[in-house]
């Protein structure tokens, strides 16, 4: 089965390509490299020991997408291409809606032209907003709080509408919790541009000496130690969730939504401790004001993912931190930046 991976050069995409190939899928990648480097795909090819056709294409460029679909008879799409910085989405909503929502419309249109009706889409736990209760089930109330989150919700609703009018589609909407970690080889991992927004990339750059200290955003949340609690999931577990989703979609046309999380929450202070243990480095930190828009606590109920796609996260927190550390310490400045 030939799978087009949009955003396949990115953090989650590169790991997903490997798991797809391991499971016997043929992979083709489109990515405009706006937040990634071709080097990640070169390394994926080494790890997967096979060639991966790559197209430097923007998902908003319909003629270019059509060319890719003409060249390869694509059976399904794993759609990860998109912009993901919450803060930037507040400043540049048009850019975010154009790329995330507009790009998905264009991609889907092209899929229809080629009668390709299987898609796995990367949504986010951000669609739950500030959850009223945890663990969060798929049918918990939805309330995205920023343009990034709303773009994910709109796309989810768009795909539900598609299925409502044409029930021959096979659609998986995956709500990722907080992906961290890296491939065991240390060859591929998360490579943010500039100063990282997310906790683990920031901590790992402190550990490696690139940043001086971590600011812990808020020490007065209603959580056991006052700092924010999240469901961190190993990116390889997450990648396997895409394989399992495609396998589940094979059974029959359907649309489903599943949480991809571990079901366990860890606080910022617990994450610092776990990372110190994995890296054997001290992480200096100071508690500062809360970050605007942050929530206290968020973790998944992963029961439905087990039921629906026979998937369960396997990696524990120590391995997530050890693998992040291996990637970061072997690649001080991430991938070489020749794009
Ligand atoms: P990433 O930025 O590493 O990967 C996204 C990839 O898409 C990049 O390689 C980028 O170059 C590419 N891209 C962006 N706009 C494009 C366009 N217009 N045309 C073609 N390619 C384009 O991010 P990631 O962490 O791997 O995230 C992948 C997906 O998962 C995103 O859709 C993101 O919103 C979603 N997601 C990520 C997280 C997370 O915390 N990392 C959580 C939930 C959901
Ligand atoms: C985790 C915890 C912070 C940085 C974001 C997006 C979400 C999703 C994943 C895509 C929180 C604290 C962080 C720092 C800190 N992305 N923190 N100091 O906010 O759960 O989710 O990324 O869909 O949409 O909102 O992840 O890693 O930024 O933060 O104290 O320098 O770490 O306050 O409690 P978050 P994060």
């Amino acid at each position: 089965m030939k799978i087009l991976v949009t955003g396949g050069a990115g953090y989650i995409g590169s790991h997903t390509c490997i798991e797809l190939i391991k499971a016997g899928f043929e992979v083709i990648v489109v990515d405009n490299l706006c937040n990634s480097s071709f080097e990640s795909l070169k390394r994926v090819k080494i790890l997967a020991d096979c060639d991966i056709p790559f197209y430097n294409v923007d998902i908003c460029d319909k003629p270019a997408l059509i060319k890719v679909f003409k060249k390869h008879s694509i059976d399904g799409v794993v759609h990860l291409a998109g912009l993901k910085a919450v803060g930037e989405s507040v400043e540049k909503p048009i850019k975010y809606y154009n790329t995330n929502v507009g790009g998905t419309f264009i991609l889907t249109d092209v899929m229809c032209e080629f009668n390709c009706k299987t898609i796995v889409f990367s949504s986010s736990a951000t669609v739950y907003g500030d959850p009223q209760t945890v663990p969060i089930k798929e049918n918990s109330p939805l309330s995205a709080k920023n343009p990034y989150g709303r773009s994910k919700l709109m796309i989810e609703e768009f795909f539900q509408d598609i299925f409502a009018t044409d029930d021959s589609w096979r659609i998986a909407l995956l709500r990722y919790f907080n992906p961290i970690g890296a491939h065991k080889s240390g060859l591929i991992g998360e490579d943010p541009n500039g100063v990282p927004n997310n906790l683990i990339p920031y901590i790992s750059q402190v550990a490696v000496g690139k940043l001086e200290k971590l600011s812990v955003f808020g020490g007065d949340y209603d959580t056991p130690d006052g700092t924010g609690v999240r469901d961190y999931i190993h990116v390889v577990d997450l990648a396997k969730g895409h394989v399992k989703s495609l396998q589940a979609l094979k059974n029959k046309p359907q649309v489903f939504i599943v949480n991809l999380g571990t079901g366990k929450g860890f606080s910022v202070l617990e994450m610092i401790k776990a990372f110190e243990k994995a890296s054997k480095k001290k992480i200096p930190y100071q508690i500062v004001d809360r970050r605007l828009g942050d929530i206290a606590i968020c973790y998944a109920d992963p029961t439905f993912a087990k039921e629906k796609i026979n998937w369960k996260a396997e990696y524990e927190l120590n391995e997530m931190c050890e693998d992040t550390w291996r990637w970061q310490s072997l690649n001080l400045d991430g991938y070489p930046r020749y794009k």
Side-chain angles (χ1 to χ4, degrees):
M1 198 174 173
K2 282 192 187 167
I3 301 297
L4 176 71
V5 181
T6 73
Y11 172 47
I12 299 170
S14 52
H15 291 83
T16 300
C17 287
I18 293 180
E19 296 308 317
L20 285 169
I21 293 165
K22 267 170 67 181
F25 293 96
E26 263 182 72
V27 167
I28 296 125
V29 168
V30 302
D31 196 305
N32 68 357
L33 303 181
C34 70
N35 197 40
S36 53
S37 152
F38 182 64
E39 179 68 18
S40 67
L41 276 181
K42 276 175 72 180
R43 297 184 184 187
V44 168
K45 288 182 198 180
I46 295 170
L47 293 169
D49 193 22
C50 76
D51 190 34
I52 301 174
F54 167 71
Y55 298 89
N56 187 336
V57 158
D58 192 309
I59 52 163
C60 298
D61 183 346
K62 191 171 174 185
L65 274 184
I66 288 175
K67 272 192 195 155
V68 176
F69 274 79
K70 267 193 183 143
K71 179 118 194 247
H72 303 273
S73 54
I74 289 163
D75 301 299
V77 177
V78 172
H79 177 33
L80 302 132
L83 303 174
K84 64 166 183 177
V86 173
E88 192 193 34
S89 81
V90 176
E91 285 158 27
K92 299 176 181 168
I94 299 174
K95 181 177 169 189
Y96 271 67
Y97 287 119
N98 259 336
T99 303
N100 293 4
V101 182
T104 302
F105 289 171
I106 290 165
L107 171 70
T108 313
D109 206 11
V110 174
M111 289 175 71
C112 282
E113 273 185 39
F114 287 84
N115 200 31
C116 172
K117 294 186 178 177
T118 297
I119 190 161
V120 176
F121 171 65
S122 48
S123 188
S124 167
T126 198
V127 299
Y128 296 115
D130 195 351
Q132 287 156 15
T133 51
V134 282
I136 306 172
K137 285 183 184 297
E138 287 78 358
N139 59 5
S140 298
L142 304 174
S143 78
K145 298 269 183 243
N146 49 64
Y148 168 71
R150 275 190 285 276
S151 76
K152 292 291 181 190
L153 254 189
M154 283 179 189
I155 298 166
E156 285 196 6
E157 285 169 356
F158 164 70
F159 280 124
Q160 305 269 15
D161 286 344
I162 299 270
F163 187 77
T165 50
D166 177 356
D167 63 8
S168 66
W169 274 80
R170 296 161 196 261
I171 304 171
L173 307 172
L174 308 183
R175 293 182 179 152
Y176 310 157
F177 280 68
N178 289 54
I180 64 169
H183 191 265
K184 289 272 168 221
S185 62
L187 279 180
I188 59 168
E190 186 168 14
D191 181 19
N193 267 328
V195 178
N197 295 316
N198 296 116
L199 180 67
I200 289 302
Y202 201 106
I203 289 184
S204 53
Q205 291 197 14
V206 172
V208 90
K210 284 181 74 179
L211 294 168
E212 197 191 329
K213 69 174 163 197
L214 173 75
S215 295
V216 175
F217 298 141
D220 58 352
Y221 284 109
D222 186 13
T223 59
D225 65 18
T227 65
V229 169
R230 297 291 183 274
D231 185 335
Y232 297 94
I233 172 165
H234 198 294
V235 66
V236 172
D237 271 335
L238 197 76
K240 289 178 179 166
H242 298 73
V243 174
K244 292 283 190 178
S245 296
L246 281 169
Q247 288 164 344
L249 288 175
K250 248 184 146 182
N251 297 334
K252 62 170 185 191
Q254 56 189 310
V255 55
F256 63 78
I257 298 177
V258 293
N259 284 339
L260 294 186
T262 65
K264 290 180 207 143
F266 291 98
S267 73
V268 177
L269 297 183
E270 286 173 320
M271 294 306 287
I272 295 173
K273 254 198 200 143
F275 207 88
E276 286 184 334
K277 194 167 170 222
S279 64
K280 302 186 179 64
K281 301 276 178 192
K282 190 93 199 117
I283 312 290
Y285 71 87
Q286 64 172 0
I287 295 184
V288 301
D289 287 346
R290 293 179 179 194
R291 180 170 66 179
L292 199 70
D294 267 0
I295 56 174
I297 184 159
C298 169
Y299 57 90
D301 181 337
T303 317
F304 186 61
K306 179 72 188 149
E307 247 172 72
K308 185 75 207 171
I309 61 170
N310 191 27
W311 173 92
K312 191 174 176 295
E314 280 164 4
Y315 290 100
E316 298 291 342
L317 188 61
N318 59 337
E319 269 188 282
M320 301 185 209
C321 293
E322 282 163 15
D323 295 345
T324 304
W325 175 241
R326 187 178 307 104
W327 153 253
Q328 180 68 67
S329 49
L330 290 173
N331 303 270
L332 283 189
D333 297 315
Y335 296 114
R337 300 266 156 201
Y338 51 89
K339 289 187 179 174

